[in-house]
Every structure is written in structure tokens, then in C-alpha cells.
Amino acid sequence: VKGPELDLLITGAEILDVFRLRAFQGWLGIRGGRFIYVEPGEPPRGVPTRHTVEACGALITPGLIDAHMHIESTLLSPRRFAEGALPHGTTCVLADPHEIASVAGEEGIRWMMQAAAGLSLRVYFAIPSCVPPTSARLETTGAEVTAELVRKLAGASEVIALGEVMDYRGLVAGDERLRGIIGAAASHGLLIEGHVPSLLGTELSEYLSYGITSDHTLMRPEKILELVGKGAALMLQLKSLAPENIAAVLDLPDRSRVMLVTDDVDPARLRTEGHLSSIVKAAMARGVPWEEAFSMATLRPATYLGLRRMGAIAPGWTADFLVLEGPGLFPPRTVYVGGRKVAEEGELIAPVGSPGPPLPSNLCYDRFVPEDFLVKLDLQECLANVVSVQSEDNTLTDLERVPVRLKGGRVVLGPEDDLALIAVFSRDGSSRSTGVVKDLGLKRGAFASTFSHDAHNLLVVGRSPEAMALAASRACEGGGGIAVADEGGVIAHLPLPIAGILTDAPLDAVASSFNQIEDSLRRFGMRHARPFLLLSTLTLSVSPRYKFSDKGVVDVEARRLIPPFINP
Amino acid sequence: VKGPELDLLITGAEILDVFRLRAFQGWLGIRGGRFIYVEPGEPPRGVPTRHTVEACGALITPGLIDAHMHIESTLLSPRRFAEGALPHGTTCVLADPHEIASVAGEEGIRWMMQAAAGLSLRVYFAIPSCVPPTSARLETTGAEVTAELVRKLAGASEVIALGEVMDYRGLVAGDERLRGIIGAAASHGLLIEGHVPSLLGTELSEYLSYGITSDHTLMRPEKILELVGKGAALMLQLKSLAPENIAAVLDLPDRSRVMLVTDDVDPARLRTEGHLSSIVKAAMARGVPWEEAFSMATLRPATYLGLRRMGAIAPGWTADFLVLEGPGLFPPRTVYVGGRKVAEEGELIAPVGSPGPPLPSNLCYDRFVPEDFLVKLDLQECLANVVSVQSEDNTLTDLERVPVRLKGGRVVLGPEDDLALIAVFSRDGSSRSTGVVKDLGLKRGAFASTFSHDAHNLLVVGRSPEAMALAASRACEGGGGIAVADEGGVIAHLPLPIAGILTDAPLDAVASSFNQIEDSLRRFGMRHARPFLLLSTLTLSVSPRYKFSDKGVVDVEARRLIPPFINP
């Protein structure tokens, strides 16, 4: 053993080798933020080192790397997200700041990059590609990402990808704007992240032929085989970890392009279940050998992302690693980034950075009254184009024509019809639309949120104009937020002052408010496993199959608008 | 099927899917140099296309990608190399112009890049790291690659790696110059190619810890397991394809970082056996499933090299592909690069480029006389430090002390002693050394070459000063070359006018002269499977274990010089 003194010597460890998918008993030497020695057995006597740790047989794995995620889904600023994710073992993410870009454009993206700089968590960036989500003018959006902006941002060293190309129908139809954006990203050597929930065969090929390098949407076995065989990197999020999908993946003779990702994680799940760790655990619980599951969350994403010498315990590789009691035992005993201990027993051991500069909200609303939720149709009966929820664990929707009665613009909701009012108000006050949704389970009260995918216009869903006005008024206080109310008043509230979609409050407080919001919605009858996810994606105009915007009902596959009510 | 007309539609093909390691019957659509459609079955009727090819069940595979090779080993200019390699299915190489750099430094590297630009063959470059091979002044070298030169060259888009760090002993000892070069390359994001024939354990880790990303030297099973587990990409050249190594590789649960490479291919092998194709065939012959063997020569090297969307038949991926009668049936029926047919039935269908600008030789020799090969020792008997050949199929050498008799400076060689004289003359005329080699099998005649690894000083090996003078004189004609002579005159000659190491003559002529040289050496008694390889690496001061330079015998592992004769 030669060379200068080590910074850290770890002995008696069980070391995960993600290349050979095995663990072995051995020791590690670390210097200058990198592993120098990764050896079996015991170190030779007298290795010069500043510190020594006896691991007592604990498992050492690489830090977890999340190749597809949106920090905004936690409703937290980057530093608060890092405070939540690092203690659970996530040491590196590719963040697609899609939500903040939708609200605040270039200023929002730059804010996110600035707020993430210098954190212990390694944050790489994808430039959001679909802001607005489509070129089809299906909603009012607050910002635009252009090819020119992609070229401006692509030079930054932390930018390594173009964010998910969600407008798959637009791209297959040859959308010029999107092709320009992809061309700009490709010419800078960026990865081009995909999002392709519903294409197969020649249409899938047409989509991928633009240079798309991955997909992370809901999988099923045939889709897995086709995506892999057509060269797309396969990203499995929680909802894709069905037994039949796991079986299909484990049958692949080469799984080097398969990885686990979080995509969206709400603050309550981040606090109680962890971050990418929870996906690793879920994969293990569903039959993925633990060494495979870790490789899919360490080496394989690092390889995909082109992050050289990251994602493994090997000489010369970055010393980002976890000390665990055993394969699935999260949170880790300790978390190291660049050879420095950053978290211990589920807690950060030092603050992770600054909140970032202020980023005010552009929401133009103040107070709402019940009249804001009346339908401007001078009719007593009509047919409504109703968006109906299809499942209690995914966000798929359909369209139904339902006869409704109107009384002075007020939609009459019956006790057993499982209908609710939905209203979307554009952030700039220029546009609004009111309609009906079905099969939420909501029996009373109202929900309002200035965080609603992707344009983050104000979304209000409820059983009465009175409750909706109360919820909407509170949600808009201080620039934005989420609120639940019944006719008697506001029941739960989470302020989101940063651009109206994020907060710099600590995770514990945010998770607690978030739980109150979801618990209230469940008390009001909602059956969905994740009420906020379901509601906040009712406005997502690129997610199958029917959504609601400030301009009416959106037919996602056809990329067109449908009026909420049919005026006979 | 949407979008503009295809350039080429191929139907009725058997398509290799290197992701899923299977082949399937299907069709391909190509436009703008990329695959658009890669589909099973038959195309829909009326797909708009400019050309259609009916493959009649022929196999379509990606073009072969060689991640570690030296064009100079073929003795050909880049265009003549491309003429030889493309028809055998090599469509992309990472060239390490180590030899031309050793002779002509920056000018040589730039010449190589210029001569390779615009060829149908895709040529990426590694900047040679070990010019001179070591900092230990073991020989006279003509050029130097510095950290500053690495920084100057690293910005070129075709430069993606630092060439093999051969001075592994120097690096482990902390050689400052080499660390500076590696640091410069790493800061530009280059891969750092390794060369580590003899280190294991903590020494191997110390070597790899500098950022080394691969090794391609002779493998054995324990070394394979250790290299893979320590994160090095594994490159298998022909000599590493021993059954026990193949078994070790096929036992790896993740083979995504294993690839096949050529390293050095002489012109005769290039003409008769092909290029990377011959390694693919050898791997198949030794039990590697053909889909695996192709993946190791297509997708896996492309992934390692960071060449996005190359190395597979997939939508959006570069349309470099081969049409074969069957898995091992090289040369391909046709070879396509960027969707354009470049070769057919083993022949190029169009010239591949220009010869490149002139690059004169810096060799200062003209004519030699027998007296140039006498030993300047006024003794009748002494002990010689003799470099002895250890094998007939590798280049490993050892050292023996052998008593020799001298007669007026002439070493007396007996009929059965299996000794030969060796002399190395520095290119600039400043230095020379004469000594003895053993176990070549050479019984008469002489060999001279201005191509001799790595400094490419003039190497002369022979059984008599007279034959050596004739061979050396002819080898130096016109700037450099290789010659074989006996006492009666020159028997075989290959001129190498470009820097004294390469020629722009066509492959057929070069291979023919090369065969004459090797056949003559075999007639003179040489037993080695590859006489030129053995002789031209007798001077390679980083190859185990004892070599010969213009300064004497080189002890490679100890990095020191030993006198050829022991003056008592």
C-alpha cells in the first residue's frame, strides 16, 4: 500500500459489487472523495489513514441515483428536498424542473439550478421540453421553453438531458417547435428523456426515432419488451413494479439498461417511506434480487446518465455510499457523499445549503365568492362532458356524457351521483372554465390548489360553490398553496409561496399539512390511494385520456378541446 | 406509417436485437442516416420509400465497433486501413495513434486525425498518453506528449479518450508527468484507457484509482473477475479468448462492460482474416453465443465509448449495419454506414478518402556496414544479459546470463545455441546498443525494421553482421521500412515512407510484402506464430519482462537498464 495517507479506512464491511452482483467481506480506503482501495479480507497492518471506521459487518452500497424525478413533486425547495432525500440514501438525482418552468420559465429553471447548487446532494438537470405541454393551445400556460432557451441552458455543466418529451402525439405528428427543441438538445449531446404511455409498433418507432433515449411511464410486459428491443432505457417507477413486469425484466438476458426511478414523490411519502430507497425496497419485495435492485438504482442509472465513475464501490470511483444494517434496511445507518458523512440514522448531520433567492408567484387571484363557481348557461338541463376517474391507484380517466340539472347556474349534485364540480382559473386571470368530474368519491367539501400539473393554474374541485370559494381563497393567500374546506371553513392548508408551487418550510411541517389535506379529502369520501396526485393531475393535458383545463375538457390523444357542457 | 418518404426499406430480414440478445424476422425503414422503423413481420402496404431491398432472410447486424486499436499496426495509412476494414464489417473504431505520436508527436497525431477525417469509416481518437512510454529514460524517443498537448487536442470532437496508460509501474509510483496528463484528460471528460498486464490487489486498485476505465491486456480468469469487480471495462483481444477466460466471462451475471477489441492487426491478417470480425468469429468458435459476441463488438463498445445511439438496430439509432448470410459468415454481403452502402462481397464500392498530407520520416540513417554490428568490447569471452523468448504465441520474455565468445567484436554464434544479435539505433543517430537475444529459432539471415514498438528506433536482429547491414540499409531506404536479408542480399522488403512506419500502398501489396517478410523469417528458422509481432515488440519497454532498447537491456518491471554484456 503506497501513496499519501488515506482520509478514511473502513474495515470489516460487507461490500456490494454492483458489477458482479455479489457482496463480499472486505475493506475500503478513501482519499480525496474517491475510493482508492476496495479489497477483500482485512487491510495490511499500518495503512496510513486519518480516520478508521470498523463497520462490524454492515453492508456498504453505492449511494442511490435517481435518473428521473421532479423535485417539485415534494412541494419543497431543493435544500428541503435534499434534507429529506439524503438521509434515505439518495445521493444524486437528475431533476427535471418541469413544474417551476411551467410557472416561471427560464427564471424558474435558473432559480432551481441556483437553489440546488452547492447542496450535499448531487443535482443534475434536464431542461424541460414540453412547456407548454403541447403546442395545441389546450390551456393557458405561463411560460415557454424554446429551442433558443435550450441552447442557452445546455452549456451548463449540470445540464445533461432534455426533460421528458411528453407531447408524444405532437412529436409523431411532426410538431416543428418540439423538433427544434429536440434538435437543439441533441446538438449539445444531451440525453432526450421520453414519456410514451400509449404508443406501440410503428408509432412508437416514429417517436423514438427523434432520438428519445428512455421511457418511465406505466409499463406492462409487451411494452417492456418492445421498448428495450427498440433501444429505450427502461425506467421503472413504483406503479410499474407489477409482478408480470418484474418477471419480464428478470427474463431479460441484459438488464444493464433497466433502472428504478421515483418520478414524483409527495412530501408525506418522502418523510415516512423514503425516496428512491422505497422503490428499491418495493422491487426487492416483489422478487428482484437485492443486488439487481441496487444496481438498477446505482450503476445502471449512472451509466445511462453518462456520469463516469459514479454508482459503484470501485477504485477511482466517487465515494458516495451508504452503510446499511442489511440489504433492505433503510434508512441507512450512515450516508456519505464524496467521502464525507452527511447523514446518520435517518437525520442530516449538517444543514445542506441555502434556501435560494426569492421567486415570487405570478398568481393574480385574491378572494373568491361562490358565484365564481356558477355555470354561465341559461338552461335548466343539459348534457355534460364529464371526466370520469377509472381507477383507485392510477390517474387514468375517461369521458362520459351525463345529463345534469342547473339551478341559476348552480349544478345540482345528488347524494349518490358521485359527481363534483371542477373549475380551472388561469394564473393570469385571463381565462376560466367550469365543468363536472365523476367517480372521485367526494361527498362534500372542496379542494383548491395552485399546484396542478402542468400549467399550475388554480384548480378547484368541490361539491358546493361555497366550499370551493373558501378553499380557493385560502389556497391563493400569499402567492399560492393547497387548501381543503367545507361550507363551514378551511380545514387544511399548505402555503406554497415560492412561485405558488413550492415552500422552503421544513419537510416535517410540510408532510404534516399534506397529510391533513389528504386525510380531509378521504373523510370527504375520496377513495383514491393518493388523493392529491389524482386531483393535481386532473389538469395534466398529456396524460391519458381526458383532462380539464381553463379552456374546457381536453381530449389528450386527439389533442383537442371539448366543451364541458353541450348547449342543445 | 407517417412522415416523409424513407430512403431505404429492407424487408424479409433476420434482425439482430443486441439489447435482448435475439434475432427476429422483420423489416427496417431508414431515413437521414438513421433507422426509423425496426419492426417484426412485413411492412404495411405502400410505405413510401426511394429504394427497397428484399433481404431474403439474410441476417442484419449493427456494424462492428472496435473500442481499442492502433491503425499503425496494419502499417497502412487511415484510408488504406479503412479500405481493408470496412468490407469486413468494421464501421467504427477508437484509434490510439500511439505509434505515429511516438515518432512525430503532435504533428503525427494531427496528421492521423486529418488523414482519417471524412472516411466512410467512423474514426474516433484516443490521445496517446505514454509518449515516451515511460519517464524512466530507458530509450531514446523522438517525441513527447505533454499535459498541455492533451489539453490542446482534447477539444476536438473526434477525441474521446486518453490512450492506454502503459506505464503502470510509473503511475503506481506516482509519476508526476503521467498524473498531469491524466488530470488534463479527465478534466475534459475523456475516457482513460488502461494497460495493466501484471498488477493485482492493492496495486491494481492504486493504478485504477487514477481514473483508468479499461484494460485490454492478456487476461486470465482471476484477473477478469478482479478487473470487472473493480469497475474496469473488460476488453478481450484474440490472445485473451482462452477457454477458461470465456467461461469466466459467460459466468458474469452482467456482461454489459465486456467487449471484443483487435488492438493490433497486421496487414496479412487484415487481408485474409478480416478485422474485428475475426475476433467475433473466434469468440463464437470458443463458445460465446453469437448474439453475445456481436453485442460485445457493437452495443457494448458504443456504450463504453459514450457513442449515443450507435451499435444497435433501433429507431433513431445510426444506420451502420451489416448484411450477412449468417451469424459467423464474414465478410458481410453488404456493409452500410449512415444508411449508405459502402462495401459489397468483401470489396469497397467506392474509394474511401484521400491519402492525407505528406508526413516525412525523421530517420537519419542511410547505409550500414557489417562493422556497425560489432560489439565494442576488447574481450574474448564474457557473460551476456540475454533477452530470451518464452513462448511461440505471446511476446513474454525473460532474462538469462549466457557466456559468449567474441572475435574482434564479432559475437560468435554456434549452430545450436539459438542466439541472435540484436541492435537498436535511435532514429536521430545519437545512440545505439548491441546485444544478444535467445530462443527466436533464427538460424541465418537478418531482419531490420524502422517500425519497432514504441519508439520506432531502427531494430536489427540477425545471425551475422553482413546480413544485418544489408537488411538495415534496405529498411532505411526512402525514410523507413522493413527488410529481411541473408548474406547474399535482400529477400523481402516493405517500404514505409510515411514517418518511417506507414505506407499509403494498397492493402493487397502491403499484405503480400508482409507475408514475404514473415515467410522468409520462418524459412530462416523462426518458430513464433507471428514473427513480426515478436520481433517488433522486442523493443517495447512497457511489456513484460525484459526488452532491448538503444540504451541496452530494459528490465520492464523495475524500470531500469541493464548492460547487454558484463565486463568482468
Side-chain angles (χ1 to χ4, degrees):
Chain A
V1 173
K2 287 167 200 146
E5 192 179 49
L6 295 173
D7 297 331
L8 179 61
L9 174 69
I10 302 181
T11 61
E14 189 75 11
I15 301 167
L16 173 60
D17 170 353
V18 285
F19 305 106
R20 292 175 58 196
L21 299 169
R22 56 160 202 147
F24 63 96
Q25 200 276 323
W27 61 282
L28 300 171
I30 293 164
R31 187 171 56 229
R34 294 190 178 274
F35 299 107
I36 306 295
Y37 300 108
V38 181
E39 316 296 327
E42 295 296 320
R45 292 174 76 88
V47 176
T49 181
R50 288 172 57 205
H51 300 286
T52 301
V53 168
E54 168 51 54
C56 303
L59 177 64
I60 297 198
T61 76
L64 305 184
I65 300 175
D66 192 349
H68 183 84
M69 59 86 65
H70 309 277
I71 291 176
E72 300 98 312
S73 65
T74 64
L75 309 176
L76 298 169
S77 61
R79 71 157 179 166
R80 296 300 188 186
F81 166 71
E83 282 177 7
L86 273 172
H88 287 286
T90 298
T91 55
C92 178
V93 300
L94 176 68
D96 177 356
H98 179 80
E99 317 303 346
I100 202 109
S102 294
V103 173
E106 177 177 359
E107 189 189 1
I109 299 171
R110 290 195 187 276
W111 177 86
M112 192 66 109
M113 289 167 67
Q114 204 173 334
L119 297 179
S120 303
L121 180 75
R122 299 182 196 273
V123 185
Y124 293 90
F125 281 95
I127 306 170
S129 68
C130 291
V131 177
T134 77
S135 311
R137 303 185 183 283
L138 303 171
E139 62 194 320
T140 302
T141 55
E144 192 180 359
V145 170
T146 60
E148 194 192 354
L149 179 56
V150 170
R151 273 187 289 269
K152 268 169 73 177
L153 295 170
S157 62
E158 65 268 47
V159 170
I160 59 178
L162 184 71
E164 49 186 308
V165 178
M166 294 189 297
D167 187 12
Y168 51 94
R169 287 280 169 206
L171 186 59
V172 168
D175 186 288
E176 282 292 338
R177 192 183 139 270
L178 204 43
R179 287 166 59 185
I181 286 172
I182 291 172
S187 73
H188 280 84
L190 301 187
L191 290 163
I192 317 283
E193 300 283 277
H195 166 109
V196 56
S198 70
L199 304 181
L200 286 175
T202 53
E203 280 191 324
L204 177 62
S205 294
E206 285 160 8
Y207 177 75
L208 295 175
S209 75
Y210 288 99
I212 306 293
T213 48
S214 72
D215 183 43
H216 63 276
T217 59
L218 181 64
M219 295 296 163
R220 51 182 202 283
E222 320 80 71
K223 184 176 160 185
I224 287 173
L225 295 181
E226 187 167 343
L227 280 169
V228 170
K230 286 184 171 173
L234 194 74
M235 296 174 166
L236 302 173
Q237 52 173 293
L238 191 57
K239 69 182 177 188
S240 291
L241 295 180
E244 65 275 19
N245 292 335
I246 303 244
V249 165
L250 292 180
D251 260 3
L252 294 171
D254 180 346
R255 295 178 293 282
S256 61
R257 297 163 59 81
V258 179
M259 58 202 95
L260 302 175
V261 300
T262 62
D263 201 358
D264 289 334
V265 176
D266 68 47
R269 282 175 62 215
L270 177 60
R271 191 180 54 168
T272 58
E273 292 168 45
H275 190 244
L276 189 50
S277 54
S278 70
I279 319 292
V280 171
K281 280 194 290 186
M284 286 168 57
R286 293 167 202 192
V288 180
W290 75 273
E291 303 90 338
E292 278 281 339
F294 271 83
S295 184
M296 289 178 188
T298 56
L299 176 63
R300 292 170 188 176
T303 303
Y304 168 72
L305 295 173
L307 301 175
R308 293 257 171 84
R309 294 196 282 141
M310 282 182 67
I313 315 278
W317 291 49
T318 303
D320 297 352
F321 64 99
L322 317 180
V323 183
L324 297 160
E325 299 296 330
L329 301 178
F330 288 98
R333 189 195 282 175
T334 37
V335 178
Y336 288 78
V337 173
R340 283 193 321 114
K341 195 196 294 187
V342 297
E344 197 156 33
E345 306 298 352
E347 299 288 341
L348 272 195
I349 59 172
V352 295
S354 70
L359 183 69
S361 173
N362 60 357
L363 197 73
C364 78
Y365 299 101
D366 184 9
R367 295 208 65 78
F368 287 83
V369 293
E371 288 66 36
D372 290 325
F373 301 93
L374 300 186
V375 177
K376 285 169 190 59
L377 280 177
D378 191 17
L379 292 170
Q380 294 202 308
E381 277 190 1
C382 72
L383 279 175
N385 283 313
V386 168
V387 174
S388 65
V389 174
Q390 295 299 300
S391 158
E392 289 169 20
D393 47 42
N394 66 42
T395 61
L396 197 69
T397 53
D398 211 334
L399 189 73
E400 291 181 36
R401 289 205 172 176
V402 176
V404 292
R405 286 195 299 132
L406 296 168
K407 219 181 241 180
R410 179 183 280 259
V411 179
V412 180
L413 304 177
E416 302 300 333
D417 56 11
D418 207 350
L419 299 179
L421 284 175
I422 183 168
V424 176
F425 299 77
S426 73
R427 283 196 162 224
D428 63 2
S430 69
S431 167
R432 64 171 66 181
S433 177
T434 306
V436 181
V437 289
K438 188 164 174 290
D439 297 334
L440 285 171
L442 199 68
K443 296 207 182 308
R444 63 193 183 91
F447 163 90
S449 178
T450 60
F451 184 105
S452 71
H453 296 277
D454 268 341
H456 302 289
N457 290 320
L458 170 66
L459 165 70
V460 192
V461 176
R463 288 279 292 176
S464 74
E466 290 72 19
M468 291 169 85
L470 285 170
S473 297
R474 181 62 65 87
C476 292
E477 268 179 19
I482 310 168
V484 176
D486 63 12
E487 288 69 15
V490 172
I491 288 163
H493 178 214
L494 173 56
L496 298 173
I498 301 171
I501 60 168
L502 299 181
T503 171
D504 191 53
L507 171 60
D508 279 357
V510 175
S512 166
S513 300
F514 187 86
N515 277 334
Q516 283 170 30
I517 288 164
E518 290 214 320
D519 289 346
S520 310
L521 292 166
R522 288 190 191 99
R523 276 206 313 281
F524 289 171
M526 274 192 74
R527 293 179 301 256
H528 198 275
R530 298 169 64 192
F532 178 73
L533 177 75
L534 175 66
L535 293 169
S536 65
T537 57
L538 282 176
T539 44
L540 181 53
S541 63
V542 288
S543 176
R545 286 191 291 261
Y546 294 88
K547 298 288 172 173
F548 204 87
S549 83
D550 65 301
K551 297 192 174 175
V553 175
V554 177
D555 178 343
V556 174
E557 295 294 323
R559 300 172 89 231
R560 66 189 178 91
L561 288 165
I562 301 171
F565 298 99
I566 300 162
N567 199 335
Chain B
V1 172
K2 287 167 199 147
E5 191 179 52
L6 295 172
D7 296 331
L8 179 61
L9 174 70
I10 303 181
T11 60
E14 188 75 11
I15 300 166
L16 173 60
D17 171 353
V18 285
F19 305 106
R20 292 175 57 196
L21 299 169
R22 55 158 203 148
F24 63 95
Q25 200 275 324
W27 61 280
L28 300 171
I30 293 163
R31 188 171 56 229
R34 294 191 178 274
F35 298 107
I36 307 294
Y37 300 108
V38 180
E39 315 297 326
E42 295 297 320
R45 293 173 77 88
V47 176
T49 181
R50 289 173 57 205
H51 300 286
T52 301
V53 169
E54 169 50 56
C56 303
L59 177 65
I60 297 198
T61 76
L64 305 183
I65 299 175
D66 192 350
H68 182 83
M69 60 85 67
H70 309 278
I71 292 175
E72 300 98 312
S73 65
T74 64
L75 309 175
L76 298 169
S77 62
R79 72 157 178 166
R80 296 300 188 187
F81 166 71
E83 283 177 7
L86 273 172
H88 287 286
T90 298
T91 55
C92 179
V93 300
L94 176 68
D96 177 357
H98 179 80
E99 317 303 346
I100 202 108
S102 295
V103 173
E106 177 177 358
E107 189 189 0
I109 299 171
R110 290 196 187 275
W111 177 86
M112 192 66 107
M113 289 167 67
Q114 204 172 335
L119 298 178
S120 303
L121 179 75
R122 300 181 195 275
V123 185
Y124 293 90
F125 282 95
I127 306 170
S129 67
C130 293
V131 176
T134 77
S135 310
R137 304 183 181 283
L138 304 171
E139 62 195 318
T140 302
T141 54
E144 192 180 0
V145 170
T146 60
E148 193 192 357
L149 179 56
V150 170
R151 273 187 289 270
K152 267 169 73 177
L153 295 170
S157 62
E158 66 268 47
V159 170
I160 59 178
L162 184 72
E164 50 185 308
V165 178
M166 294 189 297
D167 187 12
Y168 51 94
R169 286 279 169 206
L171 186 59
V172 168
D175 187 288
E176 282 292 339
R177 191 184 139 268
L178 203 44
R179 286 167 59 184
I181 285 171
I182 290 172
S187 73
H188 280 83
L190 302 186
L191 290 162
I192 316 283
E193 300 283 277
H195 166 107
V196 56
S198 70
L199 304 182
L200 286 175
T202 53
E203 281 193 323
L204 177 61
S205 293
E206 285 160 7
Y207 177 74
L208 295 175
S209 76
Y210 288 98
I212 305 294
T213 48
S214 72
D215 183 43
H216 62 275
T217 59
L218 181 64
M219 295 297 162
R220 50 182 203 282
E222 321 81 71
K223 184 175 159 184
I224 286 173
L225 295 181
E226 187 167 343
L227 280 170
V228 170
K230 287 183 171 173
L234 194 75
M235 297 174 165
L236 302 173
Q237 53 173 292
L238 191 59
K239 69 181 177 188
S240 291
L241 294 180
E244 64 275 18
N245 293 335
I246 303 245
V249 165
L250 292 181
D251 260 3
L252 294 172
D254 180 346
R255 295 178 293 283
S256 61
R257 299 162 58 80
V258 179
M259 58 201 96
L260 302 174
V261 301
T262 62
D263 200 359
D264 289 334
V265 176
D266 69 46
R269 281 175 63 215
L270 177 60
R271 190 181 54 169
T272 58
E273 292 168 45
H275 190 244
L276 188 51
S277 55
S278 70
I279 319 293
V280 170
K281 280 194 290 185
M284 287 168 57
R286 294 166 200 191
V288 179
W290 75 271
E291 302 90 339
E292 278 281 339
F294 272 84
S295 185
M296 290 178 188
T298 57
L299 176 63
R300 292 170 187 175
T303 302
Y304 168 72
L305 295 174
L307 300 175
R308 293 257 172 83
R309 294 194 283 140
M310 283 183 66
I313 315 279
W317 290 49
T318 303
D320 297 352
F321 63 99
L322 317 179
V323 183
L324 297 159
E325 298 296 330
L329 301 178
F330 288 98
R333 190 195 281 174
T334 38
V335 178
Y336 289 78
V337 173
R340 283 193 322 112
K341 196 196 293 187
V342 297
E344 197 156 33
E345 307 298 352
E347 300 288 340
L348 272 195
I349 59 172
V352 295
S354 70
L359 182 69
S361 173
N362 59 357
L363 197 73
C364 77
Y365 299 101
D366 184 9
R367 296 208 66 78
F368 287 84
V369 292
E371 289 66 35
D372 290 324
F373 301 92
L374 300 186
V375 178
K376 286 169 190 60
L377 281 176
D378 191 16
L379 293 169
Q380 293 201 310
E381 277 189 4
C382 71
L383 279 176
N385 283 314
V386 168
V387 174
S388 66
V389 173
Q390 295 299 299
S391 157
E392 289 169 20
D393 46 41
N394 67 42
T395 62
L396 197 70
T397 53
D398 210 334
L399 190 72
E400 292 182 36
R401 289 205 171 175
V402 176
V404 292
R405 287 195 299 133
L406 296 169
K407 217 181 242 180
R410 178 184 283 258
V411 179
V412 180
L413 304 177
E416 301 301 332
D417 56 11
D418 207 350
L419 298 179
L421 286 174
I422 182 168
V424 176
F425 299 77
S426 73
R427 283 195 162 222
D428 63 2
S430 69
S431 167
R432 64 172 63 184
S433 176
T434 306
V436 181
V437 289
K438 188 164 173 292
D439 296 334
L440 286 171
L442 199 66
K443 297 206 180 309
R444 64 192 182 90
F447 163 91
S449 178
T450 60
F451 184 106
S452 71
H453 296 277
D454 269 341
H456 301 289
N457 290 320
L458 171 66
L459 165 70
V460 193
V461 176
R463 289 278 292 178
S464 74
E466 290 71 20
M468 291 169 85
L470 286 170
S473 298
R474 181 63 65 88
C476 292
E477 267 179 20
I482 309 168
V484 176
D486 62 13
E487 290 69 17
V490 172
I491 288 164
H493 178 214
L494 173 56
L496 299 173
I498 301 171
I501 60 168
L502 299 181
T503 170
D504 191 55
L507 171 60
D508 278 357
V510 175
S512 166
S513 299
F514 186 88
N515 277 334
Q516 283 171 28
I517 288 164
E518 291 215 318
D519 289 346
S520 309
L521 291 167
R522 289 189 190 101
R523 276 205 313 280
F524 289 172
M526 273 192 73
R527 291 181 301 258
H528 197 276
R530 299 169 62 191
F532 178 73
L533 176 76
L534 176 66
L535 293 169
S536 65
T537 57
L538 282 176
T539 44
L540 181 53
S541 62
V542 287
S543 176
R545 284 191 292 262
Y546 294 87
K547 298 289 172 173
F548 204 88
S549 82
D550 65 300
K551 297 191 174 176
V553 176
V554 177
D555 178 343
V556 174
E557 294 293 325
R559 301 171 88 231
R560 66 189 179 92
L561 289 165
I562 301 170
F565 298 99
I566 300 163
N567 199 337

